[in-house]
Amino acid sequence: MSNRISVQLFGITREIVGSSALTLDLPQPGQVGELLSNLKEQYPALTGLRSLLVAVNGEYAEADQPLHPNDEIALIPPVSGG
């Protein structure tokens, strides 16, 4: 059984992937850490980012947080400014 999820991409992550959103199948039940591993495998340039956070339903998520089909997931790239 798979867990189909939608991921919103912003900033450099959108440029690396070439799209503002992805739909992925993760094993059921999937976790944030598995999602990141899957994405870094498919898009090796993501491993070069010094930080990459994941938000699930508007809240920052830890690697062991479970993912569900209706979750709103976003990749938050590193930001700079001054």
Side-chain angles (χ1 to χ4, degrees):
M1 183 183 266
S2 70
N3 184 12
R4 181 160 278 199
I5 59 168
S6 179
V7 180
Q8 300 300 309
L9 304 162
F10 300 95
I12 189 72
T13 61
R14 179 175 48 216
E15 293 174 27
I16 290 170
V17 172
S19 177
S20 62
L22 291 172
T23 300
L24 302 171
D25 286 317
L26 291 180
Q28 181 88 340
Q31 295 181 331
V32 168
E34 292 171 322
L35 169 66
L36 283 176
S37 294
N38 183 304
L39 288 171
K40 289 177 179 179
E41 197 173 290
Q42 290 183 31
Y43 304 96
L46 291 174
T47 61
L49 299 178
R50 62 180 162 79
S51 68
L52 184 60
L53 300 175
V54 177
V56 178
N57 299 322
E59 301 284 334
Y60 289 116
E62 298 294 326
D64 61 351
Q65 180 168 333
L67 297 173
H68 306 285
N70 293 323
D71 286 342
E72 294 179 9
I73 301 165
L75 290 188
I76 313 293
V79 295
S80 62

